[in-house]
Amino acid sequence: MSDLIALTLPDGSTRQVARGTTGADVAASIGPGLAKAAIAARVDGELVDLSRPIEADAQLALVTGRDEADALELARHDFAHVLAEAVQGLFPGTQITFGPSTDDGFYYDVAPPPSRGPFTEEDLPAIEDAMRAIIRADKPLRREVWSRQALIDRWAAQGEAFKAEWAAQLPDGEELSVYWSGTDWMDMCKGPHLPSTGRLDPAAFKLTRVSGAYWRGDQNNAMLSRIYGTGWLNKKQLDAHLLRLEEAAKRDHRKLGREMDLFHLEEVAHGSVFWHPRGFVIYRALEAYLRRRLDAAGYREVKTPQIMDARQWEQSGHWGKYRENMFVIPDEVPNTEDEGPVVSSDAQWMALKPMNCPAHVLIFRQGIKSYRDLPLRLAEMGCCHRNEPHGALHGLMRVRQFTQDDAHIFCREDQIVTEIAAFCDLLDAVYKDLGGFRYAIKLALRPEKRFGSDAMWDWSEQSMRDAVKATGRDNADWGWEELPGEGAFYAPKLEFHLTDAIGRTWQVGTIQTDTVLPERLDASFVGEDGNRHRPVMLHRAILGSYERFIGILIEHFAGWFPVWLAPVQAVVATIVSDADGYAEQVAATLAKAGIRVETDLRNEKINLKVREHSLQKAPYMLVVGRREAEEGTVALRSLNGGEQKIVPLAEAVALLVAEATPPDLQA
């Protein structure tokens, strides 16, 4: 075996180096600047420590802070370890468990020592100070490989029962690595890590909160303290993130939902929304808009049952793949006696639908379909139920009962590219109308567990690529990306990820190419050759669900909806009671023109009225007094930061009507 290996660098050049050379060695041989900047290496695509020996020919790329995604992942992972070390240093007897990085930071689950209760947010400042001391100490982070028994013995000797349990249960043959922070603290971890704690910016993190968490997520296990933090590469990034969090808190749809009297949720109906009159105005306006868009695009609306026999869900495949997320109910009259079970063991089972697709196939199967009937686009504002865990529910964003803007397109294979391209154009128009959203397009590819042949998946995935290419959106300008393993069990899917006003992303729209369900439910059409053929079924949604999308809109607009969606579009307010009659006339004129209007005739100062209706996010206030009543004018004021101007009533009505016209109906 040669003592030399070949390392191929990103520029295509090759270096002959000694076996066991590290990424740090290569960086130093290139120059002192790179040696200082390098923080990790990629060896044949795998991210590894800079000090990891390379034992065979490989592709090598050195990672620096400019490789932001990798740098953030490493920094957040290291912040988590520094957090655990700091907690154990401050509170001897604390046991450590797991500490992963997250999308914007990190957390670590720890078991407080018996001498104290759970950690609280009052402990965070002291922990932060201890973390900064560890970072400033610039402790080397060094990897070692241990035998299983040696590691179990070490953890047991230190009283680390959780770590000992985890080490004992890792798969046989798995390499067990640990990382030392200096020479006095160690954690079990796969890595990789930065070369030392000093590579972290001590001003680039903040501990944010503490919550309870069960060991390994099982409520039968011990309760731990989970300490959360956010971590970045520098203070500028941290400050920008904290500003986003502050802005997000102001925009929280749950807070604004209460203030604007839009909806509420309560435990009598976990995960189901109680829409108040004002909130349901938004819902209905959005629904009417989308119906017009669908009608214009050639969709035909249907309505399907809320409950179907479990055998139907078995045939579709959902019973086996999705049953834990379904609500099941017995098909029998419950026992009315006080004693005995409510449901007998002989009950047949039915289920509330978690999705609409099997019912749409049953509609397609009614009557003989010809190739001339395709594409057939069936749409449904379908109410669905999914048995989400209580702890996962979150306002309008994660619910149990929701209404999808669902549709299924039954088409021939030669129509797929055209139909997907048309859907992309429709979705683009809707997103522009609803907020000028930017969005990225992702193709989620076949998962490990799936229905259908590899040939079917090859064809389905390529059809989606071809359709996006036909629209000119398969490029970086549209955030085009392929996501291996993230497709549905029956089909690949295009995902559309919105970016809102403060930079958050939301995956809402989707379209999926499915040949499995038509086969399982025996859907067919008569082709031009006179034989029966299976249609391709395109599952698609633009909003995803009305509940979640309205939550996104509330936060995107911070409650200041465009006039056409606003629950109350104008408030007519009086300065003096002498103008009450004129205010009623103004309101009647606006209502007749189709404006959603309220009056405020209270004997209060106008500044108070402005402030209160601003909190309610009414777009416009029309202020009237004696002079306006005499001249037939109004003082028109935008409550979202605009100036007040005196205009004739007719002009004010025309302006409001124009702004209240939905975008698809504007000339």
Side-chain angles (χ1 to χ4, degrees), residues 16 29 112 150-151 157 186 224 246 250 309 329 331-332 356 363 365 380 462 492 496 520 522 625 661:
Q16 298 289 326
S29 71
L151 191 53
M186 167 188 109
L224 308 171
E246 183 181 338
K250 294 177 185 174
D309 195 295
I329 54 177
D331 186 14
E332 71 172 15
N356 305 297
I363 291 177
R365 284 176 44 186
E380 180 172 9
Q462 191 57 47
F496 298 83
R520 293 181 71 92
D522 194 27
T661 302

mmCIF file with all atom_site columns, all heavy atoms in Angstrom, residues 16 29 112 150-151 157 186 224 246 250 309 329 331-332 356 363 365 380 462 492 496 520 522 625 661:
data_model
loop_
_atom_site.group_PDB
_atom_site.id
_atom_site.type_symbol
_atom_site.label_atom_id
_atom_site.label_alt_id
_atom_site.label_comp_id
_atom_site.label_asym_id
_atom_site.label_entity_id
_atom_site.label_seq_id
_atom_site.pdbx_PDB_ins_code
_atom_site.Cartn_x
_atom_site.Cartn_y
_atom_site.Cartn_z
_atom_site.occupancy
_atom_site.B_iso_or_equiv
_atom_site.pdbx_formal_charge
_atom_site.auth_seq_id
_atom_site.auth_comp_id
_atom_site.auth_asym_id
_atom_site.auth_atom_id
_atom_site.pdbx_PDB_model_num
ATOM 1   N N   . GLN A 1 16  ? -0.546  15.226 -4.238  1.00 0.00 ? 16  GLN A N   1
ATOM 2   C CA  . GLN A 1 16  ? -0.066  13.976 -3.666  1.00 0.00 ? 16  GLN A CA  1
ATOM 3   C C   . GLN A 1 16  ? 0.414   14.270 -2.244  1.00 0.00 ? 16  GLN A C   1
ATOM 4   O O   . GLN A 1 16  ? 1.321   15.092 -2.031  1.00 0.00 ? 16  GLN A O   1
ATOM 5   C CB  . GLN A 1 16  ? 1.078   13.409 -4.505  1.00 0.00 ? 16  GLN A CB  1
ATOM 6   C CG  . GLN A 1 16  ? 0.704   13.059 -5.941  1.00 0.00 ? 16  GLN A CG  1
ATOM 7   C CD  . GLN A 1 16  ? -0.181  11.839 -6.022  1.00 0.00 ? 16  GLN A CD  1
ATOM 8   O OE1 . GLN A 1 16  ? -0.047  10.903 -5.221  1.00 0.00 ? 16  GLN A OE1 1
ATOM 9   N NE2 . GLN A 1 16  ? -1.090  11.831 -6.996  1.00 0.00 ? 16  GLN A NE2 1
ATOM 10  N N   . SER A 1 29  ? -0.561  24.202 3.885   1.00 0.00 ? 29  SER A N   1
ATOM 11  C CA  . SER A 1 29  ? 0.336   24.121 2.734   1.00 0.00 ? 29  SER A CA  1
ATOM 12  C C   . SER A 1 29  ? -0.050  25.088 1.632   1.00 0.00 ? 29  SER A C   1
ATOM 13  O O   . SER A 1 29  ? 0.788   25.486 0.829   1.00 0.00 ? 29  SER A O   1
ATOM 14  C CB  . SER A 1 29  ? 0.347   22.689 2.179   1.00 0.00 ? 29  SER A CB  1
ATOM 15  O OG  . SER A 1 29  ? -0.886  22.391 1.530   1.00 0.00 ? 29  SER A OG  1
ATOM 16  N N   . PRO A 1 112 ? -31.539 18.281 35.766  1.00 0.00 ? 112 PRO A N   1
ATOM 17  C CA  . PRO A 1 112 ? -31.006 19.068 36.888  1.00 0.00 ? 112 PRO A CA  1
ATOM 18  C C   . PRO A 1 112 ? -30.540 18.159 38.022  1.00 0.00 ? 112 PRO A C   1
ATOM 19  O O   . PRO A 1 112 ? -31.051 17.048 38.208  1.00 0.00 ? 112 PRO A O   1
ATOM 20  C CB  . PRO A 1 112 ? -32.201 19.925 37.322  1.00 0.00 ? 112 PRO A CB  1
ATOM 21  C CG  . PRO A 1 112 ? -33.139 19.914 36.154  1.00 0.00 ? 112 PRO A CG  1
ATOM 22  C CD  . PRO A 1 112 ? -32.952 18.591 35.489  1.00 0.00 ? 112 PRO A CD  1
ATOM 23  N N   . ALA A 1 150 ? -16.018 0.738  27.281  1.00 0.00 ? 150 ALA A N   1
ATOM 24  C CA  . ALA A 1 150 ? -15.247 1.786  27.944  1.00 0.00 ? 150 ALA A CA  1
ATOM 25  C C   . ALA A 1 150 ? -16.084 3.052  28.100  1.00 0.00 ? 150 ALA A C   1
ATOM 26  O O   . ALA A 1 150 ? -16.027 3.732  29.136  1.00 0.00 ? 150 ALA A O   1
ATOM 27  C CB  . ALA A 1 150 ? -13.969 2.082  27.162  1.00 0.00 ? 150 ALA A CB  1
ATOM 28  N N   . LEU A 1 151 ? -16.874 3.349  27.079  1.00 0.00 ? 151 LEU A N   1
ATOM 29  C CA  . LEU A 1 151 ? -17.703 4.552  27.136  1.00 0.00 ? 151 LEU A CA  1
ATOM 30  C C   . LEU A 1 151 ? -18.828 4.393  28.154  1.00 0.00 ? 151 LEU A C   1
ATOM 31  O O   . LEU A 1 151 ? -19.104 5.309  28.940  1.00 0.00 ? 151 LEU A O   1
ATOM 32  C CB  . LEU A 1 151 ? -18.269 4.845  25.745  1.00 0.00 ? 151 LEU A CB  1
ATOM 33  C CG  . LEU A 1 151 ? -18.938 6.203  25.539  1.00 0.00 ? 151 LEU A CG  1
ATOM 34  C CD1 . LEU A 1 151 ? -18.015 7.332  25.961  1.00 0.00 ? 151 LEU A CD1 1
ATOM 35  C CD2 . LEU A 1 151 ? -19.354 6.371  24.078  1.00 0.00 ? 151 LEU A CD2 1
ATOM 36  N N   . ALA A 1 157 ? -19.530 5.794  35.686  1.00 0.00 ? 157 ALA A N   1
ATOM 37  C CA  . ALA A 1 157 ? -18.679 6.265  36.775  1.00 0.00 ? 157 ALA A CA  1
ATOM 38  C C   . ALA A 1 157 ? -18.924 7.735  37.087  1.00 0.00 ? 157 ALA A C   1
ATOM 39  O O   . ALA A 1 157 ? -18.784 8.168  38.238  1.00 0.00 ? 157 ALA A O   1
ATOM 40  C CB  . ALA A 1 157 ? -17.212 6.043  36.417  1.00 0.00 ? 157 ALA A CB  1
ATOM 41  N N   . MET A 1 186 ? -16.049 16.338 28.310  1.00 0.00 ? 186 MET A N   1
ATOM 42  C CA  . MET A 1 186 ? -16.219 15.456 27.163  1.00 0.00 ? 186 MET A CA  1
ATOM 43  C C   . MET A 1 186 ? -17.700 15.179 26.937  1.00 0.00 ? 186 MET A C   1
ATOM 44  O O   . MET A 1 186 ? -18.490 15.146 27.874  1.00 0.00 ? 186 MET A O   1
ATOM 45  C CB  . MET A 1 186 ? -15.457 14.153 27.441  1.00 0.00 ? 186 MET A CB  1
ATOM 46  C CG  . MET A 1 186 ? -15.741 13.006 26.542  1.00 0.00 ? 186 MET A CG  1
ATOM 47  S SD  . MET A 1 186 ? -14.944 11.510 27.173  1.00 0.00 ? 186 MET A SD  1
ATOM 48  C CE  . MET A 1 186 ? -16.373 10.592 27.722  1.00 0.00 ? 186 MET A CE  1
ATOM 49  N N   . LEU A 1 224 ? -36.954 16.282 31.648  1.00 0.00 ? 224 LEU A N   1
ATOM 50  C CA  . LEU A 1 224 ? -35.695 17.010 31.590  1.00 0.00 ? 224 LEU A CA  1
ATOM 51  C C   . LEU A 1 224 ? -35.963 18.498 31.402  1.00 0.00 ? 224 LEU A C   1
ATOM 52  O O   . LEU A 1 224 ? -37.092 18.895 31.118  1.00 0.00 ? 224 LEU A O   1
ATOM 53  C CB  . LEU A 1 224 ? -34.843 16.492 30.425  1.00 0.00 ? 224 LEU A CB  1
ATOM 54  C CG  . LEU A 1 224 ? -34.620 14.979 30.354  1.00 0.00 ? 224 LEU A CG  1
ATOM 55  C CD1 . LEU A 1 224 ? -33.960 14.606 29.027  1.00 0.00 ? 224 LEU A CD1 1
ATOM 56  C CD2 . LEU A 1 224 ? -33.765 14.506 31.520  1.00 0.00 ? 224 LEU A CD2 1
ATOM 57  N N   . GLU A 1 246 ? -38.561 39.871 17.189  1.00 0.00 ? 246 GLU A N   1
ATOM 58  C CA  . GLU A 1 246 ? -39.378 40.941 17.765  1.00 0.00 ? 246 GLU A CA  1
ATOM 59  C C   . GLU A 1 246 ? -40.507 41.316 16.811  1.00 0.00 ? 246 GLU A C   1
ATOM 60  O O   . GLU A 1 246 ? -41.654 41.500 17.229  1.00 0.00 ? 246 GLU A O   1
ATOM 61  C CB  . GLU A 1 246 ? -38.487 42.156 18.034  1.00 0.00 ? 246 GLU A CB  1
ATOM 62  C CG  . GLU A 1 246 ? -39.203 43.313 18.702  1.00 0.00 ? 246 GLU A CG  1
ATOM 63  C CD  . GLU A 1 246 ? -38.284 44.499 18.925  1.00 0.00 ? 246 GLU A CD  1
ATOM 64  O OE1 . GLU A 1 246 ? -37.047 44.309 18.951  1.00 0.00 ? 246 GLU A OE1 1
ATOM 65  O OE2 . GLU A 1 246 ? -38.796 45.627 19.068  1.00 0.00 ? 246 GLU A OE2 1
ATOM 66  N N   . LYS A 1 250 ? -44.752 40.779 17.158  1.00 0.00 ? 250 LYS A N   1
ATOM 67  C CA  . LYS A 1 250 ? -45.777 41.787 16.894  1.00 0.00 ? 250 LYS A CA  1
ATOM 68  C C   . LYS A 1 250 ? -46.815 41.273 15.903  1.00 0.00 ? 250 LYS A C   1
ATOM 69  O O   . LYS A 1 250 ? -47.982 41.649 15.955  1.00 0.00 ? 250 LYS A O   1
ATOM 70  C CB  . LYS A 1 250 ? -45.132 43.047 16.320  1.00 0.00 ? 250 LYS A CB  1
ATOM 71  C CG  . LYS A 1 250 ? -44.208 43.798 17.259  1.00 0.00 ? 250 LYS A CG  1
ATOM 72  C CD  . LYS A 1 250 ? -43.576 44.983 16.532  1.00 0.00 ? 250 LYS A CD  1
ATOM 73  C CE  . LYS A 1 250 ? -42.553 45.696 17.376  1.00 0.00 ? 250 LYS A CE  1
ATOM 74  N NZ  . LYS A 1 250 ? -41.861 46.760 16.596  1.00 0.00 ? 250 LYS A NZ  1
ATOM 75  N N   . ASP A 1 309 ? -66.178 4.542  4.874   1.00 0.00 ? 309 ASP A N   1
ATOM 76  C CA  . ASP A 1 309 ? -65.891 3.237  5.454   1.00 0.00 ? 309 ASP A CA  1
ATOM 77  C C   . ASP A 1 309 ? -64.385 2.992  5.484   1.00 0.00 ? 309 ASP A C   1
ATOM 78  O O   . ASP A 1 309 ? -63.658 3.336  4.542   1.00 0.00 ? 309 ASP A O   1
ATOM 79  C CB  . ASP A 1 309 ? -66.578 2.154  4.612   1.00 0.00 ? 309 ASP A CB  1
ATOM 80  C CG  . ASP A 1 309 ? -66.630 0.824  5.336   1.00 0.00 ? 309 ASP A CG  1
ATOM 81  O OD1 . ASP A 1 309 ? -65.555 0.247  5.587   1.00 0.00 ? 309 ASP A OD1 1
ATOM 82  O OD2 . ASP A 1 309 ? -67.747 0.358  5.636   1.00 0.00 ? 309 ASP A OD2 1
ATOM 83  N N   . ILE A 1 329 ? -64.269 6.196  13.774  1.00 0.00 ? 329 ILE A N   1
ATOM 84  C CA  . ILE A 1 329 ? -65.527 6.184  14.524  1.00 0.00 ? 329 ILE A CA  1
ATOM 85  C C   . ILE A 1 329 ? -66.276 4.897  14.210  1.00 0.00 ? 329 ILE A C   1
ATOM 86  O O   . ILE A 1 329 ? -66.162 4.358  13.105  1.00 0.00 ? 329 ILE A O   1
ATOM 87  C CB  . ILE A 1 329 ? -66.411 7.406  14.177  1.00 0.00 ? 329 ILE A CB  1
ATOM 88  C CG1 . ILE A 1 329 ? -66.630 7.499  12.667  1.00 0.00 ? 329 ILE A CG1 1
ATOM 89  C CG2 . ILE A 1 329 ? -65.789 8.683  14.685  1.00 0.00 ? 329 ILE A CG2 1
ATOM 90  C CD1 . ILE A 1 329 ? -67.544 8.633  12.268  1.00 0.00 ? 329 ILE A CD1 1
ATOM 91  N N   . ASP A 1 331 ? -69.349 2.423  13.277  1.00 0.00 ? 331 ASP A N   1
ATOM 92  C CA  . ASP A 1 331 ? -70.583 2.503  12.494  1.00 0.00 ? 331 ASP A CA  1
ATOM 93  C C   . ASP A 1 331 ? -71.671 1.704  13.209  1.00 0.00 ? 331 ASP A C   1
ATOM 94  O O   . ASP A 1 331 ? -72.106 0.648  12.757  1.00 0.00 ? 331 ASP A O   1
ATOM 95  C CB  . ASP A 1 331 ? -70.342 1.955  11.085  1.00 0.00 ? 331 ASP A CB  1
ATOM 96  C CG  . ASP A 1 331 ? -71.561 2.149  10.191  1.00 0.00 ? 331 ASP A CG  1
ATOM 97  O OD1 . ASP A 1 331 ? -72.459 2.923  10.565  1.00 0.00 ? 331 ASP A OD1 1
ATOM 98  O OD2 . ASP A 1 331 ? -71.612 1.517  9.117   1.00 0.00 ? 331 ASP A OD2 1
ATOM 99  N N   . GLU A 1 332 ? -72.077 2.194  14.370  1.00 0.00 ? 332 GLU A N   1
ATOM 100 C CA  . GLU A 1 332 ? -73.151 1.561  15.118  1.00 0.00 ? 332 GLU A CA  1
ATOM 101 C C   . GLU A 1 332 ? -73.722 2.569  16.111  1.00 0.00 ? 332 GLU A C   1
ATOM 102 O O   . GLU A 1 332 ? -73.084 3.579  16.436  1.00 0.00 ? 332 GLU A O   1
ATOM 103 C CB  . GLU A 1 332 ? -72.664 0.313  15.852  1.00 0.00 ? 332 GLU A CB  1
ATOM 104 C CG  . GLU A 1 332 ? -71.745 0.588  17.029  1.00 0.00 ? 332 GLU A CG  1
ATOM 105 C CD  . GLU A 1 332 ? -71.443 -0.673 17.837  1.00 0.00 ? 332 GLU A CD  1
ATOM 106 O OE1 . GLU A 1 332 ? -71.704 -1.772 17.347  1.00 0.00 ? 332 GLU A OE1 1
ATOM 107 O OE2 . GLU A 1 332 ? -70.953 -0.533 18.967  1.00 0.00 ? 332 GLU A OE2 1
ATOM 108 N N   . ASN A 1 356 ? -59.023 14.414 0.490   1.00 0.00 ? 356 ASN A N   1
ATOM 109 C CA  . ASN A 1 356 ? -60.176 14.268 -0.409  1.00 0.00 ? 356 ASN A CA  1
ATOM 110 C C   . ASN A 1 356 ? -59.938 13.325 -1.587  1.00 0.00 ? 356 ASN A C   1
ATOM 111 O O   . ASN A 1 356 ? -60.885 12.971 -2.290  1.00 0.00 ? 356 ASN A O   1
ATOM 112 C CB  . ASN A 1 356 ? -60.555 15.641 -0.974  1.00 0.00 ? 356 ASN A CB  1
ATOM 113 C CG  . ASN A 1 356 ? -60.822 16.665 0.108   1.00 0.00 ? 356 ASN A CG  1
ATOM 114 O OD1 . ASN A 1 356 ? -61.738 16.526 0.900   1.00 0.00 ? 356 ASN A OD1 1
ATOM 115 N ND2 . ASN A 1 356 ? -60.001 17.715 0.151   1.00 0.00 ? 356 ASN A ND2 1
ATOM 116 N N   . ILE A 1 363 ? -65.774 9.727  -7.708  1.00 0.00 ? 363 ILE A N   1
ATOM 117 C CA  . ILE A 1 363 ? -66.577 10.546 -8.620  1.00 0.00 ? 363 ILE A CA  1
ATOM 118 C C   . ILE A 1 363 ? -66.138 10.304 -10.057 1.00 0.00 ? 363 ILE A C   1
ATOM 119 O O   . ILE A 1 363 ? -66.974 10.146 -10.965 1.00 0.00 ? 363 ILE A O   1
ATOM 120 C CB  . ILE A 1 363 ? -66.455 12.041 -8.260  1.00 0.00 ? 363 ILE A CB  1
ATOM 121 C CG1 . ILE A 1 363 ? -67.160 12.314 -6.927  1.00 0.00 ? 363 ILE A CG1 1
ATOM 122 C CG2 . ILE A 1 363 ? -67.042 12.924 -9.363  1.00 0.00 ? 363 ILE A CG2 1
ATOM 123 C CD1 . ILE A 1 363 ? -67.048 13.751 -6.448  1.00 0.00 ? 363 ILE A CD1 1
ATOM 124 N N   . ARG A 1 365 ? -64.994 7.677  -11.317 1.00 0.00 ? 365 ARG A N   1
ATOM 125 C CA  . ARG A 1 365 ? -65.405 6.347  -11.761 1.00 0.00 ? 365 ARG A CA  1
ATOM 126 C C   . ARG A 1 365 ? -66.876 6.265  -12.157 1.00 0.00 ? 365 ARG A C   1
ATOM 127 O O   . ARG A 1 365 ? -67.299 5.263  -12.760 1.00 0.00 ? 365 ARG A O   1
ATOM 128 C CB  . ARG A 1 365 ? -65.132 5.331  -10.649 1.00 0.00 ? 365 ARG A CB  1
ATOM 129 C CG  . ARG A 1 365 ? -63.657 4.967  -10.519 1.00 0.00 ? 365 ARG A CG  1
ATOM 130 C CD  . ARG A 1 365 ? -63.426 4.043  -9.341  1.00 0.00 ? 365 ARG A CD  1
ATOM 131 N NE  . ARG A 1 365 ? -64.421 2.969  -9.262  1.00 0.00 ? 365 ARG A NE  1
ATOM 132 C CZ  . ARG A 1 365 ? -64.520 2.102  -8.274  1.00 0.00 ? 365 ARG A CZ  1
ATOM 133 N NH1 . ARG A 1 365 ? -63.692 2.195  -7.247  1.00 0.00 ? 365 ARG A NH1 1
ATOM 134 N NH2 . ARG A 1 365 ? -65.438 1.168  -8.272  1.00 0.00 ? 365 ARG A NH2 1
ATOM 135 N N   . GLU A 1 380 ? -62.417 20.921 -4.771  1.00 0.00 ? 380 GLU A N   1
ATOM 136 C CA  . GLU A 1 380 ? -63.273 20.850 -3.586  1.00 0.00 ? 380 GLU A CA  1
ATOM 137 C C   . GLU A 1 380 ? -62.685 21.695 -2.471  1.00 0.00 ? 380 GLU A C   1
ATOM 138 O O   . GLU A 1 380 ? -61.488 21.611 -2.185  1.00 0.00 ? 380 GLU A O   1
ATOM 139 C CB  . GLU A 1 380 ? -63.415 19.406 -3.088  1.00 0.00 ? 380 GLU A CB  1
ATOM 140 C CG  . GLU A 1 380 ? -64.298 19.304 -1.850  1.00 0.00 ? 380 GLU A CG  1
ATOM 141 C CD  . GLU A 1 380 ? -64.611 17.873 -1.449  1.00 0.00 ? 380 GLU A CD  1
ATOM 142 O OE1 . GLU A 1 380 ? -64.019 16.935 -2.018  1.00 0.00 ? 380 GLU A OE1 1
ATOM 143 O OE2 . GLU A 1 380 ? -65.459 17.701 -0.557  1.00 0.00 ? 380 GLU A OE2 1
ATOM 144 N N   . GLN A 1 462 ? -39.404 12.846 -13.874 1.00 0.00 ? 462 GLN A N   1
ATOM 145 C CA  . GLN A 1 462 ? -38.958 13.546 -15.076 1.00 0.00 ? 462 GLN A CA  1
ATOM 146 C C   . GLN A 1 462 ? -40.073 14.401 -15.664 1.00 0.00 ? 462 GLN A C   1
ATOM 147 O O   . GLN A 1 462 ? -39.812 15.498 -16.189 1.00 0.00 ? 462 GLN A O   1
ATOM 148 C CB  . GLN A 1 462 ? -38.447 12.546 -16.114 1.00 0.00 ? 462 GLN A CB  1
ATOM 149 C CG  . GLN A 1 462 ? -37.726 13.195 -17.283 1.00 0.00 ? 462 GLN A CG  1
ATOM 150 C CD  . GLN A 1 462 ? -36.549 14.058 -16.825 1.00 0.00 ? 462 GLN A CD  1
ATOM 151 O OE1 . GLN A 1 462 ? -35.737 13.623 -15.996 1.00 0.00 ? 462 GLN A OE1 1
ATOM 152 N NE2 . GLN A 1 462 ? -36.458 15.279 -17.337 1.00 0.00 ? 462 GLN A NE2 1
ATOM 153 N N   . PRO A 1 492 ? -44.025 11.692 -6.468  1.00 0.00 ? 492 PRO A N   1
ATOM 154 C CA  . PRO A 1 492 ? -43.175 12.871 -6.242  1.00 0.00 ? 492 PRO A CA  1
ATOM 155 C C   . PRO A 1 492 ? -44.053 14.110 -6.195  1.00 0.00 ? 492 PRO A C   1
ATOM 156 O O   . PRO A 1 492 ? -45.217 14.070 -6.614  1.00 0.00 ? 492 PRO A O   1
ATOM 157 C CB  . PRO A 1 492 ? -42.273 12.882 -7.477  1.00 0.00 ? 492 PRO A CB  1
ATOM 158 C CG  . PRO A 1 492 ? -43.085 12.234 -8.541  1.00 0.00 ? 492 PRO A CG  1
ATOM 159 C CD  . PRO A 1 492 ? -43.913 11.183 -7.840  1.00 0.00 ? 492 PRO A CD  1
ATOM 160 N N   . PHE A 1 496 ? -44.059 24.495 -3.179  1.00 0.00 ? 496 PHE A N   1
ATOM 161 C CA  . PHE A 1 496 ? -43.896 25.926 -3.398  1.00 0.00 ? 496 PHE A CA  1
ATOM 162 C C   . PHE A 1 496 ? -43.737 26.592 -2.030  1.00 0.00 ? 496 PHE A C   1
ATOM 163 O O   . PHE A 1 496 ? -44.652 26.576 -1.202  1.00 0.00 ? 496 PHE A O   1
ATOM 164 C CB  . PHE A 1 496 ? -45.098 26.480 -4.163  1.00 0.00 ? 496 PHE A CB  1
ATOM 165 C CG  . PHE A 1 496 ? -45.240 25.864 -5.529  1.00 0.00 ? 496 PHE A CG  1
ATOM 166 C CD1 . PHE A 1 496 ? -45.876 24.643 -5.704  1.00 0.00 ? 496 PHE A CD1 1
ATOM 167 C CD2 . PHE A 1 496 ? -44.698 26.481 -6.640  1.00 0.00 ? 496 PHE A CD2 1
ATOM 168 C CE1 . PHE A 1 496 ? -45.989 24.057 -6.953  1.00 0.00 ? 496 PHE A CE1 1
ATOM 169 C CE2 . PHE A 1 496 ? -44.809 25.916 -7.901  1.00 0.00 ? 496 PHE A CE2 1
ATOM 170 C CZ  . PHE A 1 496 ? -45.454 24.697 -8.057  1.00 0.00 ? 496 PHE A CZ  1
ATOM 171 N N   . ARG A 1 520 ? -55.011 1.533  -7.660  1.00 0.00 ? 520 ARG A N   1
ATOM 172 C CA  . ARG A 1 520 ? -55.562 0.876  -6.483  1.00 0.00 ? 520 ARG A CA  1
ATOM 173 C C   . ARG A 1 520 ? -57.086 0.982  -6.434  1.00 0.00 ? 520 ARG A C   1
ATOM 174 O O   . ARG A 1 520 ? -57.761 0.082  -5.923  1.00 0.00 ? 520 ARG A O   1
ATOM 175 C CB  . ARG A 1 520 ? -54.965 1.472  -5.212  1.00 0.00 ? 520 ARG A CB  1
ATOM 176 C CG  . ARG A 1 520 ? -53.478 1.178  -5.040  1.00 0.00 ? 520 ARG A CG  1
ATOM 177 C CD  . ARG A 1 520 ? -52.959 1.784  -3.737  1.00 0.00 ? 520 ARG A CD  1
ATOM 178 N NE  . ARG A 1 520 ? -53.478 1.063  -2.580  1.00 0.00 ? 520 ARG A NE  1
ATOM 179 C CZ  . ARG A 1 520 ? -52.873 0.038  -1.981  1.00 0.00 ? 520 ARG A CZ  1
ATOM 180 N NH1 . ARG A 1 520 ? -51.707 -0.385 -2.433  1.00 0.00 ? 520 ARG A NH1 1
ATOM 181 N NH2 . ARG A 1 520 ? -53.406 -0.542 -0.934  1.00 0.00 ? 520 ARG A NH2 1
ATOM 182 N N   . ASP A 1 522 ? -59.016 1.475  -9.172  1.00 0.00 ? 522 ASP A N   1
ATOM 183 C CA  . ASP A 1 522 ? -59.560 0.999  -10.451 1.00 0.00 ? 522 ASP A CA  1
ATOM 184 C C   . ASP A 1 522 ? -60.236 2.111  -11.254 1.00 0.00 ? 522 ASP A C   1
ATOM 185 O O   . ASP A 1 522 ? -61.356 1.970  -11.730 1.00 0.00 ? 522 ASP A O   1
ATOM 186 C CB  . ASP A 1 522 ? -60.546 -0.149 -10.211 1.00 0.00 ? 522 ASP A CB  1
ATOM 187 C CG  . ASP A 1 522 ? -60.871 -0.902 -11.511 1.00 0.00 ? 522 ASP A CG  1
ATOM 188 O OD1 . ASP A 1 522 ? -60.020 -0.890 -12.417 1.00 0.00 ? 522 ASP A OD1 1
ATOM 189 O OD2 . ASP A 1 522 ? -61.983 -1.458 -11.606 1.00 0.00 ? 522 ASP A OD2 1
ATOM 190 N N   . GLY A 1 625 ? -67.758 66.088 10.563  1.00 0.00 ? 625 GLY A N   1
ATOM 191 C CA  . GLY A 1 625 ? -68.223 67.058 11.551  1.00 0.00 ? 625 GLY A CA  1
ATOM 192 C C   . GLY A 1 625 ? -69.251 67.971 10.900  1.00 0.00 ? 625 GLY A C   1
ATOM 193 O O   . GLY A 1 625 ? -69.802 67.653 9.840   1.00 0.00 ? 625 GLY A O   1
ATOM 194 N N   . THR A 1 661 ? -61.985 46.330 -4.676  1.00 0.00 ? 661 THR A N   1
ATOM 195 C CA  . THR A 1 661 ? -62.228 45.384 -5.767  1.00 0.00 ? 661 THR A CA  1
ATOM 196 C C   . THR A 1 661 ? -61.148 44.308 -5.748  1.00 0.00 ? 661 THR A C   1
ATOM 197 O O   . THR A 1 661 ? -59.954 44.629 -5.791  1.00 0.00 ? 661 THR A O   1
ATOM 198 C CB  . THR A 1 661 ? -62.207 46.092 -7.123  1.00 0.00 ? 661 THR A CB  1
ATOM 199 O OG1 . THR A 1 661 ? -63.204 47.114 -7.125  1.00 0.00 ? 661 THR A OG1 1
ATOM 200 C CG2 . THR A 1 661 ? -62.473 45.118 -8.255  1.00 0.00 ? 661 THR A CG2 1
#
